[in-house]
Coordinates of all heavy atoms in Angstrom, one line a residue:
F306 N 31.7 40.0 -1.3 CA 32.5 41.2 -1.6 C 31.6 42.4 -1.8 O 31.7 43.5 -1.2 CB 33.5 41.0 -2.8 CG 34.2 42.2 -3.2 CD1 35.4 42.6 -2.5 CD2 33.8 43.0 -4.3 CE1 36.1 43.7 -2.9 CE2 34.5 44.1 -4.7 CZ 35.7 44.4 -4.0
L307 N 30.6 42.2 -2.7 CA 29.7 43.3 -3.1 C 28.8 43.7 -2.0 O 28.5 44.9 -1.8 CB 28.8 42.9 -4.3 CG 29.6 42.7 -5.7 CD1 28.6 42.1 -6.7 CD2 30.1 44.0 -6.2
L308 N 28.4 42.8 -1.2 CA 27.5 43.2 -0.1 C 28.2 44.1 1.0 O 27.5 44.8 1.7 CB 26.9 41.9 0.6 CG 25.9 41.1 -0.2 CD1 25.4 39.8 0.6 CD2 24.7 41.9 -0.6
K309 N 29.5 44.0 1.0 CA 30.3 44.8 1.9 C 30.5 46.2 1.3 O 31.0 47.1 2.0 CB 31.6 44.1 2.3 CG 31.5 43.1 3.4 CD 32.9 42.6 3.8 CE 33.3 41.4 3.0 NZ 34.6 40.9 3.1
K310 N 30.4 46.3 0.0 CA 30.8 47.5 -0.7 C 29.7 48.4 -1.2 O 29.5 48.6 -2.4 CB 31.7 47.1 -1.9 CG 32.9 46.3 -1.6 CD 34.1 47.2 -1.3 CE 35.2 46.4 -0.9 NZ 36.3 47.1 -0.4
N311 N 28.9 48.9 -0.2 CA 27.8 49.8 -0.5 C 28.2 51.0 -1.4 O 27.5 51.4 -2.3 CB 27.2 50.3 0.8 CG 25.7 50.1 0.8 OD1 25.1 50.0 -0.3 ND2 25.2 49.8 2.0
R312 N 29.4 51.5 -1.1 CA 29.9 52.7 -1.7 C 30.1 52.5 -3.2 O 30.0 53.4 -4.1 CB 31.2 53.1 -1.0 CG 31.7 54.4 -1.3 CD 31.1 55.4 -0.4 NE 31.3 56.8 -1.0 CZ 30.5 57.8 -0.8 NH1 29.4 57.7 0.0 NH2 30.7 58.9 -1.4
L313 N 30.5 51.2 -3.6 CA 30.8 50.9 -5.0 C 29.6 51.2 -5.9 O 29.7 51.8 -7.0 CB 31.1 49.4 -5.0 CG 31.6 48.8 -6.3 CD1 32.5 47.6 -5.9 CD2 30.5 48.2 -7.1
F314 N 28.4 50.9 -5.4 CA 27.1 51.1 -6.2 C 26.8 52.6 -6.3 O 26.4 53.1 -7.3 CB 26.0 50.3 -5.6 CG 26.2 48.8 -5.6 CD1 26.8 48.1 -4.6 CD2 25.8 48.1 -6.8 CE1 27.0 46.8 -4.6 CE2 26.0 46.7 -6.8 CZ 26.6 46.1 -5.8
F315 N 27.1 53.3 -5.2 CA 26.9 54.7 -5.2 C 27.8 55.4 -6.2 O 27.4 56.2 -7.0 CB 27.1 55.3 -3.8 CG 27.1 56.8 -3.7 CD1 25.8 57.5 -3.7 CD2 28.2 57.6 -3.7 CE1 25.8 58.9 -3.7 CE2 28.2 58.9 -3.7 CZ 27.0 59.6 -3.7
N316 N 29.1 55.0 -6.2 CA 30.1 55.6 -7.1 C 29.8 55.3 -8.5 O 29.9 56.1 -9.4 CB 31.5 55.0 -6.7 CG 32.0 55.6 -5.4 OD1 31.4 56.6 -4.9 ND2 33.0 55.0 -4.8
L317 N 29.3 54.0 -8.8 CA 29.0 53.7 -10.2 C 27.8 54.5 -10.7 O 27.8 55.0 -11.8 CB 28.7 52.2 -10.2 CG 28.3 51.6 -11.6 CD1 29.4 51.8 -12.6 CD2 28.0 50.1 -11.5
N318 N 26.8 54.7 -9.8 CA 25.7 55.5 -10.2 C 26.0 56.9 -10.5 O 25.5 57.5 -11.4 CB 24.6 55.4 -9.1 CG 23.9 54.0 -9.0 OD1 24.2 53.2 -9.8 ND2 23.1 53.8 -8.0
Q319 N 27.0 57.4 -9.7 CA 27.5 58.8 -9.9 C 28.2 58.9 -11.2 O 28.0 59.9 -11.9 CB 28.4 59.2 -8.7 CG 27.8 59.5 -7.4 CD 26.8 60.6 -7.5 OE1 25.6 60.4 -7.4 NE2 27.2 61.8 -7.6
K320 N 28.9 57.9 -11.6 CA 29.7 57.9 -12.8 C 28.7 57.9 -14.0 O 28.8 58.6 -15.0 CB 30.5 56.6 -12.9 CG 31.7 56.8 -13.8 CD 32.4 55.4 -13.9 CE 33.0 54.9 -12.6 NZ 33.6 53.6 -12.7
C321 N 27.6 57.1 -13.8 CA 26.6 57.1 -14.9 C 25.8 58.4 -15.0 O 25.5 58.8 -16.1 CB 25.6 55.9 -14.6 SG 26.5 54.3 -14.8
L322 N 25.5 59.0 -13.8 CA 24.9 60.3 -13.8 C 25.7 61.3 -14.5 O 25.2 62.1 -15.3 CB 24.6 60.7 -12.3 CG 24.0 62.1 -12.1 CD1 22.6 62.2 -12.7 CD2 24.0 62.4 -10.6
Y323 N 27.0 61.3 -14.3 CA 27.9 62.2 -15.0 C 27.9 62.0 -16.5 O 27.7 63.0 -17.3 CB 29.4 61.9 -14.5 CG 30.4 62.6 -15.3 CD1 30.7 64.0 -15.1 CD2 31.2 61.9 -16.2 CE1 31.7 64.7 -15.8 CE2 32.2 62.6 -16.9 CZ 32.5 63.9 -16.7 OH 33.4 64.6 -17.4
F324 N 27.9 60.7 -16.9 CA 27.8 60.4 -18.3 C 26.5 60.9 -18.9 O 26.5 61.6 -20.0 CB 27.9 58.8 -18.5 CG 27.8 58.3 -19.9 CD1 28.9 58.0 -20.6 CD2 26.5 58.1 -20.5 CE1 28.8 57.5 -21.9 CE2 26.5 57.6 -21.7 CZ 27.6 57.3 -22.4
Q325 N 25.4 60.6 -18.2 CA 24.1 61.0 -18.7 C 23.9 62.5 -18.8 O 23.5 63.1 -19.8 CB 23.0 60.4 -17.8 CG 21.6 60.8 -18.2 CD 20.5 60.5 -17.1 OE1 20.8 60.6 -15.9 NE2 19.3 60.2 -17.5
K326 N 24.3 63.2 -17.7 CA 24.1 64.7 -17.7 C 24.9 65.4 -18.8 O 24.4 66.2 -19.5 CB 24.6 65.2 -16.3 CG 23.4 65.5 -15.3 CD 24.0 66.1 -14.1 CE 22.9 66.9 -13.4 NZ 23.5 67.5 -12.1
N327 N 26.2 65.0 -18.8 CA 27.1 65.6 -19.8 C 26.6 65.4 -21.2 O 26.6 66.4 -22.0 CB 28.5 64.8 -19.6 CG 29.6 65.6 -20.3 OD1 29.5 65.8 -21.5 ND2 30.6 66.0 -19.5
L328 N 26.2 64.2 -21.5 CA 25.7 63.9 -22.9 C 24.4 64.6 -23.2 O 24.2 65.2 -24.2 CB 25.6 62.4 -23.1 CG 25.9 61.9 -24.5 CD1 27.1 62.5 -25.1 CD2 25.9 60.4 -24.4
N329 N 23.5 64.6 -22.2 CA 22.2 65.2 -22.5 C 22.3 66.7 -22.6 O 21.6 67.4 -23.4 CB 21.2 64.9 -21.4 CG 20.5 63.5 -21.6 OD1 20.6 63.0 -22.8 ND2 19.9 62.9 -20.6
Q330 N 23.2 67.4 -21.9 CA 23.5 68.8 -22.0 C 23.9 69.1 -23.4 O 23.5 70.0 -24.1 CB 24.5 69.3 -21.0 CG 23.9 69.7 -19.7 CD 24.9 69.9 -18.6 OE1 26.1 69.8 -18.8 NE2 24.5 70.0 -17.4
F331 N 24.9 68.3 -23.9 CA 25.4 68.5 -25.2 C 24.3 68.3 -26.3 O 24.2 69.1 -27.2 CB 26.6 67.5 -25.5 CG 27.1 67.4 -26.9 CD1 28.0 68.4 -27.3 CD2 26.7 66.5 -27.8 CE1 28.5 68.3 -28.6 CE2 27.1 66.4 -29.1 CZ 28.1 67.4 -29.5
I332 N 23.5 67.2 -26.1 CA 22.5 66.9 -27.1 C 21.5 68.1 -27.2 O 21.1 68.5 -28.2 CB 21.7 65.6 -26.6 CG1 22.6 64.4 -26.9 CG2 20.4 65.5 -27.2 CD1 22.1 63.1 -26.2
K333 N 21.2 68.7 -26.0 CA 20.2 69.8 -26.0 C 20.8 71.0 -26.7 O 20.1 71.6 -27.5 CB 19.9 70.1 -24.5 CG 18.6 70.8 -24.3 CD 18.2 70.9 -22.8 CE 17.1 71.8 -22.7 NZ 16.9 72.2 -21.3
K334 N 22.0 71.3 -26.3 CA 22.7 72.5 -26.9 C 22.8 72.4 -28.4 O 22.6 73.3 -29.2 CB 24.1 72.6 -26.3 CG 24.8 73.9 -26.6 CD 26.1 74.1 -25.8 CE 27.2 74.5 -26.6 NZ 28.3 73.6 -26.7
E335 N 23.1 71.2 -28.9 CA 23.4 71.0 -30.3 C 22.1 70.5 -31.1 O 22.1 70.3 -32.3 CB 24.4 69.9 -30.6 CG 25.8 70.2 -30.0 CD 26.5 71.4 -30.7 OE1 26.2 71.6 -31.9 OE2 27.3 72.1 -30.0
K336 N 21.0 70.5 -30.3 CA 19.7 70.1 -30.9 C 19.8 68.7 -31.7 O 19.3 68.6 -32.8 CB 19.1 71.2 -31.8 CG 18.9 72.5 -31.1 CD 18.1 73.4 -32.1 CE 17.6 74.7 -31.4 NZ 18.6 75.5 -30.7
I337 N 20.4 67.8 -31.0 CA 20.6 66.4 -31.7 C 19.4 65.5 -31.4 O 18.8 65.6 -30.3 CB 21.9 65.8 -31.2 CG1 23.1 66.6 -31.8 CG2 22.0 64.3 -31.5 CD1 24.4 66.3 -31.2
E338 N 19.1 64.7 -32.3 CA 17.9 63.7 -32.1 C 18.3 62.6 -31.3 O 18.6 61.5 -31.8 CB 17.5 63.2 -33.5 CG 16.7 64.2 -34.3 CD 15.6 63.5 -35.1 OE1 15.1 62.5 -34.7 OE2 15.4 64.0 -36.2
A339 N 18.4 62.8 -30.0 CA 18.8 61.7 -29.1 C 18.6 62.1 -27.6 O 18.4 63.3 -27.3 CB 20.3 61.3 -29.3
K340 N 18.5 61.1 -26.7 CA 18.5 61.4 -25.3 C 19.0 60.2 -24.5 O 18.7 59.0 -25.0 CB 17.0 61.6 -24.9 CG 16.8 62.0 -23.5 CD 15.4 62.4 -23.1 CE 15.3 62.5 -21.6 NZ 14.0 62.8 -21.1
V341 N 19.7 60.4 -23.5 CA 20.2 59.3 -22.6 C 19.2 59.0 -21.5 O 18.8 60.0 -20.8 CB 21.6 59.6 -22.0 CG1 22.1 58.4 -21.2 CG2 22.5 60.1 -23.0
Y342 N 18.7 57.8 -21.4 CA 17.8 57.4 -20.3 C 18.6 56.6 -19.4 O 19.5 55.8 -19.8 CB 16.6 56.6 -20.9 CG 15.6 57.4 -21.7 CD1 15.9 57.8 -23.0 CD2 14.4 57.8 -21.2 CE1 15.1 58.5 -23.8 CE2 13.5 58.6 -21.9 CZ 13.9 58.9 -23.2 OH 13.0 59.7 -23.9
R343 N 18.2 56.7 -18.1 CA 19.1 56.0 -17.1 C 18.2 55.6 -15.9 O 17.4 56.4 -15.5 CB 20.2 56.9 -16.6 CG 21.1 56.3 -15.6 CD 22.2 57.3 -15.2 NE 21.7 58.4 -14.4 CZ 21.6 58.3 -13.0 NH1 22.0 57.3 -12.4 NH2 21.0 59.3 -12.4
F344 N 18.5 54.4 -15.3 CA 18.0 54.1 -14.0 C 19.2 53.5 -13.3 O 19.7 52.5 -13.6 CB 16.9 53.0 -14.1 CG 16.1 52.8 -12.8 CD1 14.8 53.3 -12.7 CD2 16.7 52.2 -11.7 CE1 14.1 53.1 -11.5 CE2 16.1 52.0 -10.5 CZ 14.8 52.5 -10.4
D345 N 19.7 54.2 -12.2 CA 20.9 53.8 -11.5 C 22.0 53.6 -12.6 O 22.4 54.6 -13.2 CB 20.7 52.6 -10.6 CG 20.1 52.9 -9.3 OD1 19.6 54.1 -9.2 OD2 20.1 52.1 -8.4
S346 N 22.5 52.4 -12.7 CA 23.6 52.2 -13.7 C 23.2 51.5 -14.9 O 24.1 50.8 -15.6 CB 24.8 51.5 -13.0 OG 24.3 50.2 -12.5
I347 N 21.9 51.5 -15.3 CA 21.5 51.0 -16.5 C 21.2 52.2 -17.5 O 20.4 53.0 -17.1 CB 20.2 50.2 -16.4 CG1 20.3 49.1 -15.2 CG2 19.7 49.5 -17.7 CD1 19.0 48.4 -14.9
M348 N 21.9 52.2 -18.6 CA 21.7 53.4 -19.5 C 21.4 53.0 -20.9 O 21.8 51.9 -21.3 CB 23.0 54.3 -19.4 CG 23.2 54.9 -18.1 SD 24.4 56.2 -18.2 CE 25.9 55.3 -18.5
R349 N 20.8 53.9 -21.6 CA 20.5 53.7 -23.0 C 20.4 55.0 -23.7 O 19.7 55.9 -23.2 CB 19.2 52.9 -23.1 CG 18.7 52.7 -24.5 CD 17.6 51.8 -24.6 NE 17.8 51.1 -25.9 CZ 18.1 49.8 -26.0 NH1 18.2 49.0 -24.9 NH2 18.3 49.2 -27.1
I350 N 21.0 55.1 -24.9 CA 20.8 56.3 -25.7 C 19.6 55.9 -26.7 O 19.6 54.9 -27.4 CB 22.0 56.6 -26.6 CG1 23.2 56.9 -25.7 CG2 21.7 57.9 -27.4 CD1 24.5 57.2 -26.4
V351 N 18.5 56.7 -26.6 CA 17.4 56.6 -27.6 C 17.6 57.6 -28.6 O 17.8 58.8 -28.3 CB 16.1 56.7 -26.9 CG1 14.9 56.7 -27.9 CG2 15.9 55.6 -25.9
F352 N 17.6 57.2 -29.9 CA 17.9 58.1 -31.0 C 16.7 58.8 -31.5 O 16.2 58.5 -32.6 CB 18.7 57.3 -32.1 CG 20.0 56.8 -31.6 CD1 20.1 55.5 -31.0 CD2 21.1 57.6 -31.6 CE1 21.2 55.0 -30.5 CE2 22.3 57.1 -31.1 CZ 22.4 55.8 -30.6
S353 N 16.1 59.6 -30.7 CA 14.9 60.4 -31.0 C 14.8 61.6 -30.1 O 15.3 61.5 -28.9 CB 13.7 59.5 -30.9 OG 12.5 60.3 -30.9
K354 N 14.3 62.7 -30.6 CA 14.1 63.9 -29.8 C 12.9 63.8 -28.9 O 12.8 64.4 -27.9 CB 14.0 65.1 -30.7 CG 15.1 66.1 -30.6 CD 14.7 67.4 -31.3 CE 15.4 67.5 -32.6 NZ 15.1 68.6 -33.4
K355 N 12.0 63.0 -29.3 CA 10.7 62.9 -28.6 C 10.8 62.3 -27.2 O 11.7 61.5 -27.0 CB 9.7 61.9 -29.4 CG 9.4 62.4 -30.8 CD 8.1 63.1 -30.8 CE 7.5 63.4 -32.2 NZ 8.4 64.1 -33.2
E356 N 9.9 62.7 -26.3 CA 9.9 62.2 -25.0 C 9.3 60.7 -25.1 O 8.1 60.6 -25.5 CB 9.1 63.0 -24.1 CG 9.2 62.8 -22.6 CD 10.6 63.0 -22.1 OE1 11.3 63.9 -22.5 OE2 11.0 62.1 -21.3
I357 N 10.1 59.7 -24.8 CA 9.7 58.4 -25.0 C 9.2 57.7 -23.7 O 9.8 57.9 -22.7 CB 10.8 57.5 -25.6 CG1 11.5 58.1 -26.8 CG2 10.4 56.1 -25.8 CD1 10.7 58.1 -28.0
N358 N 8.0 57.0 -23.7 CA 7.5 56.5 -22.5 C 7.5 54.9 -22.5 O 7.2 54.3 -21.4 CB 6.1 56.9 -22.3 CG 6.1 58.4 -21.8 OD1 6.8 58.8 -20.9 ND2 5.3 59.2 -22.5
N359 N 7.7 54.3 -23.6 CA 7.8 52.9 -23.7 C 8.5 52.4 -24.9 O 8.8 53.2 -25.8 CB 6.4 52.3 -23.6 CG 5.5 52.8 -24.8 OD1 5.9 52.8 -25.9 ND2 4.3 53.4 -24.4
R360 N 8.8 51.1 -25.0 CA 9.6 50.6 -26.0 C 8.9 50.7 -27.4 O 9.6 50.9 -28.4 CB 10.0 49.1 -25.8 CG 10.8 48.6 -26.9 CD 11.4 47.3 -26.8 NE 12.1 47.0 -28.0 CZ 12.8 46.0 -28.2 NH1 13.0 45.1 -27.2 NH2 13.4 45.8 -29.4
T361 N 7.6 50.6 -27.4 CA 6.9 50.7 -28.7 C 7.1 52.0 -29.3 O 7.5 52.1 -30.5 CB 5.4 50.5 -28.5 OG1 5.2 49.4 -27.6 CG2 4.6 50.2 -29.8
Q362 N 7.0 53.1 -28.5 CA 7.4 54.4 -29.0 C 8.8 54.5 -29.4 O 9.1 55.1 -30.5 CB 7.1 55.5 -27.9 CG 5.6 55.7 -27.6 CD 5.5 56.6 -26.4 OE1 6.4 57.1 -25.8 NE2 4.2 57.0 -26.1
R363 N 9.7 53.9 -28.6 CA 11.1 54.0 -28.9 C 11.4 53.4 -30.3 O 12.0 54.0 -31.2 CB 11.9 53.2 -27.9 CG 13.4 53.3 -28.0 CD 14.1 52.1 -27.3 NE 14.3 51.0 -28.3 CZ 14.8 49.8 -28.0 NH1 15.0 49.5 -26.7 NH2 15.0 48.9 -28.9
D364 N 10.8 52.2 -30.6 CA 11.1 51.5 -31.9 C 10.5 52.4 -33.0 O 11.1 52.5 -34.1 CB 10.4 50.2 -31.9 CG 11.2 49.2 -31.0 OD1 12.4 49.5 -30.8 OD2 10.7 48.1 -30.6
F365 N 9.3 53.0 -32.8 CA 8.6 53.7 -33.8 C 9.5 55.0 -34.2 O 9.7 55.2 -35.4 CB 7.2 54.1 -33.3 CG 6.4 54.9 -34.3 CD1 5.8 54.3 -35.4 CD2 6.3 56.3 -34.2 CE1 5.1 55.0 -36.3 CE2 5.6 57.0 -35.2 CZ 5.0 56.4 -36.2
F366 N 9.9 55.7 -33.2 CA 10.6 57.0 -33.5 C 12.0 56.7 -33.9 O 12.6 57.6 -34.6 CB 10.5 57.9 -32.3 CG 9.2 58.5 -32.0 CD1 8.5 58.2 -30.9 CD2 8.6 59.3 -33.0 CE1 7.2 58.7 -30.7 CE2 7.3 59.8 -32.8 CZ 6.6 59.5 -31.6
E367 N 12.6 55.6 -33.5 CA 14.0 55.4 -33.9 C 14.1 54.8 -35.3 O 15.2 54.9 -36.0 CB 14.7 54.3 -33.0 CG 15.3 54.9 -31.7 CD 16.2 54.0 -30.9 OE1 16.0 52.7 -31.1 OE2 17.0 54.4 -30.2
K368 N 13.0 54.3 -35.8 CA 13.0 53.6 -37.1 C 13.7 54.4 -38.2 O 14.5 53.9 -39.0 CB 11.6 53.3 -37.5 CG 11.3 52.0 -38.2 CD 9.9 51.8 -38.3 CE 9.6 50.4 -38.7 NZ 8.1 50.1 -38.5
K369 N 13.3 55.7 -38.3 CA 13.9 56.5 -39.4 C 15.4 56.8 -39.3 O 16.0 57.2 -40.2 CB 13.1 57.8 -39.5 CG 13.3 58.8 -38.4 CD 12.5 60.1 -38.7 CE 12.5 61.1 -37.6 NZ 13.5 62.0 -37.3
N370 N 15.9 56.5 -38.1 CA 17.4 56.7 -37.9 C 18.2 55.5 -38.0 O 19.4 55.5 -37.7 CB 17.6 57.4 -36.5 CG 17.3 58.9 -36.6 OD1 17.5 59.5 -37.6 ND2 16.7 59.4 -35.5
I371 N 17.6 54.4 -38.4 CA 18.3 53.1 -38.3 C 19.6 53.0 -39.0 O 20.6 52.6 -38.4 CB 17.3 52.0 -38.8 CG1 16.4 51.5 -37.7 CG2 18.1 50.8 -39.4 CD1 17.1 51.0 -36.5
S372 N 19.7 53.5 -40.2 CA 21.0 53.4 -40.9 C 22.0 54.3 -40.3 O 23.2 53.9 -40.2 CB 20.8 53.7 -42.4 OG 20.4 55.1 -42.5
N373 N 21.6 55.4 -39.7 CA 22.6 56.3 -39.0 C 23.0 55.7 -37.7 O 24.2 55.9 -37.3 CB 22.0 57.6 -38.8 CG 22.0 58.5 -40.1 OD1 22.7 58.2 -41.0 ND2 21.2 59.5 -40.1
I374 N 22.1 54.9 -37.1 CA 22.6 54.2 -35.8 C 23.6 53.2 -36.1 O 24.6 53.1 -35.4 CB 21.3 53.6 -35.1 CG1 20.3 54.6 -34.7 CG2 21.8 52.8 -33.9 CD1 19.0 54.1 -34.2
V375 N 23.5 52.5 -37.2 CA 24.5 51.5 -37.6 C 25.8 52.2 -37.9 O 26.9 51.8 -37.4 CB 24.1 50.7 -38.9 CG1 25.1 49.8 -39.4 CG2 22.8 49.9 -38.6
K376 N 25.8 53.4 -38.6 CA 27.0 54.1 -38.9 C 27.6 54.6 -37.6 O 28.9 54.6 -37.5 CB 26.7 55.3 -39.9 CG 26.4 54.9 -41.3 CD 26.1 56.1 -42.1 CE 25.4 55.7 -43.4 NZ 24.5 56.7 -44.0
F377 N 26.8 55.1 -36.7 CA 27.3 55.6 -35.5 C 28.1 54.6 -34.7 O 29.1 54.8 -34.2 CB 26.1 56.1 -34.7 CG 26.3 56.5 -33.2 CD1 27.0 57.7 -32.9 CD2 25.8 55.8 -32.2 CE1 27.2 58.1 -31.6 CE2 26.1 56.1 -30.9 CZ 26.8 57.3 -30.6
K378 N 27.5 53.4 -34.6 CA 28.1 52.3 -33.9 C 29.4 51.9 -34.6 O 30.4 51.6 -33.9 CB 27.2 51.1 -33.8 CG 26.0 51.3 -32.8 CD 25.3 50.0 -32.7 CE 24.2 50.1 -31.6 NZ 23.5 48.8 -31.4
K379 N 29.4 51.9 -35.9 CA 30.7 51.5 -36.6 C 31.8 52.6 -36.4 O 32.9 52.2 -36.2 CB 30.4 51.4 -38.1 CG 29.7 50.1 -38.5 CD 29.9 49.8 -39.9 CE 29.3 48.4 -40.2 NZ 28.3 48.4 -41.2
Y380 N 31.3 53.8 -36.3 CA 32.3 54.9 -36.1 C 32.9 54.7 -34.7 O 34.1 54.8 -34.6 CB 31.5 56.3 -36.2 CG 32.3 57.4 -35.6 CD1 33.3 58.0 -36.4 CD2 32.1 57.9 -34.4 CE1 34.1 59.0 -35.9 CE2 32.8 59.0 -33.9 CZ 33.8 59.5 -34.6 OH 34.6 60.6 -34.1
L381 N 32.1 54.4 -33.7 CA 32.6 54.2 -32.4 C 33.6 53.0 -32.3 O 34.7 53.1 -31.6 CB 31.5 54.0 -31.3 CG 30.6 55.2 -31.1 CD1 29.6 54.9 -30.0 CD2 31.5 56.4 -30.6
L382 N 33.3 52.0 -33.0 CA 34.2 50.8 -33.1 C 35.5 51.2 -33.7 O 36.6 50.8 -33.2 CB 33.5 49.7 -33.9 CG 34.1 48.3 -33.6 CD1 33.8 47.9 -32.2 CD2 33.5 47.3 -34.6
D383 N 35.5 52.0 -34.7 CA 36.7 52.6 -35.3 C 37.5 53.3 -34.3 O 38.8 53.4 -34.4 CB 36.4 53.5 -36.5 CG 36.0 52.7 -37.7 OD1 36.3 51.5 -37.8 OD2 35.5 53.3 -38.7
K384 N 36.8 54.0 -33.4 CA 37.5 54.8 -32.3 C 37.8 53.9 -31.1 O 38.1 54.4 -30.0 CB 36.6 56.0 -31.9 CG 36.4 56.9 -33.1 CD 37.7 57.6 -33.6 CE 37.5 58.3 -34.8 NZ 38.7 58.6 -35.6
K385 N 37.7 52.6 -31.3 CA 38.0 51.6 -30.2 C 37.1 51.7 -29.0 O 37.5 51.6 -27.8 CB 39.5 51.8 -29.7 CG 40.5 51.7 -30.8 CD 40.7 50.3 -31.3 CE 41.7 50.2 -32.4 NZ 41.2 50.8 -33.7
I386 N 35.8 51.9 -29.3 CA 34.8 51.8 -28.3 C 33.8 50.7 -28.7 O 33.2 50.8 -29.8 CB 34.0 53.2 -28.2 CG1 35.0 54.2 -27.7 CG2 32.9 53.0 -27.2 CD1 34.5 55.7 -27.9
Y387 N 33.5 49.7 -27.9 CA 32.6 48.7 -28.2 C 31.2 49.1 -27.6 O 31.0 49.2 -26.4 CB 33.0 47.3 -27.6 CG 31.9 46.3 -27.8 CD1 31.6 45.9 -29.1 CD2 31.2 45.8 -26.7 CE1 30.5 45.0 -29.3 CE2 30.2 44.9 -26.9 CZ 29.8 44.5 -28.2 OH 28.8 43.6 -28.4
Y388 N 30.3 49.4 -28.5 CA 28.9 49.8 -28.2 C 28.1 48.5 -28.2 O 28.0 47.8 -29.2 CB 28.4 50.8 -29.2 CG 27.2 51.6 -28.7 CD1 27.3 52.9 -28.2 CD2 25.9 51.1 -28.9 CE1 26.2 53.6 -27.8 CE2 24.8 51.8 -28.5 CZ 25.0 53.1 -27.9 OH 23.9 53.8 -27.5
P389 N 27.4 48.2 -27.1 CA 26.7 46.9 -27.1 C 25.6 46.7 -28.2 O 24.9 47.6 -28.5 CB 26.0 46.9 -25.7 CG 26.4 48.1 -25.0 CD 27.1 49.0 -26.0
K390 N 25.5 45.5 -28.6 CA 24.5 45.1 -29.7 C 23.1 45.4 -29.2 O 22.3 45.8 -29.9 CB 24.7 43.7 -30.0 CG 25.6 43.4 -31.2 CD 25.5 42.0 -31.7 CE 26.3 41.9 -33.0 NZ 26.3 40.6 -33.5
N391 N 22.9 45.1 -27.9 CA 21.5 45.3 -27.4 C 21.2 46.7 -27.0 O 20.1 47.1 -26.5 CB 21.2 44.3 -26.2 CG 22.0 44.6 -25.0 OD1 22.8 45.6 -25.0 ND2 22.0 43.8 -24.0
G392 N 22.2 47.6 -27.1 CA 22.0 49.1 -26.9 C 22.0 49.5 -25.4 O 21.8 50.6 -25.1
I393 N 22.1 48.5 -24.5 CA 22.1 48.9 -23.1 C 23.6 49.2 -22.7 O 24.5 48.3 -22.8 CB 21.6 47.8 -22.2 CG1 20.3 47.2 -22.8 CG2 21.4 48.3 -20.8 CD1 19.7 46.0 -22.0

Side-chain angles (χ1 to χ4, degrees):
F306 176 81
L307 290 173
L308 290 178
K309 278 190 266 169
K310 301 272 174 188
N311 233 329
R312 196 83 201 153
L313 186 148
F314 295 92
F315 174 79
N316 289 343
L317 180 59
N318 291 354
Q319 287 299 108
K320 205 186 299 175
C321 294
L322 175 65
Y323 170 76
F324 179 96
Q325 181 195 29
K326 259 188 157 174
N327 193 302
L328 212 47
N329 277 342
Q330 271 167 10
F331 173 82
I332 285 168
K333 203 169 168 195
K334 190 169 133 243
E335 300 292 331
K336 300 190 170 59
I337 288 168
E338 283 214 35
K340 184 176 169 183
V341 185
Y342 290 77
R343 180 181 74 88
F344 192 108
D345 280 11
S346 58
I347 308 171
M348 295 195 288
R349 174 171 216 111
I350 302 177
V351 174
F352 298 91
S353 167
K354 246 196 252 176
K355 298 264 192 306
E356 194 60 40
I357 306 288
N358 288 312
N359 55 54
R360 178 172 178 175
T361 315
Q362 288 175 355
R363 187 200 93 190
D364 287 340
F365 181 78
F366 289 116
E367 276 192 335
K368 217 172 193 168
K369 69 178 170 81
N370 282 327
I371 276 301
S372 64
N373 283 340
I374 296 173
V375 175
K376 285 179 199 156
F377 172 71
K378 287 186 175 185
K379 281 201 174 122
Y380 168 76
L381 291 181
L382 201 63
D383 283 345
K384 298 297 170 198
K385 304 285 178 294
I386 297 166
Y387 174 65
Y388 196 97
K390 268 191 169 174
N391 65 8
I393 313 172

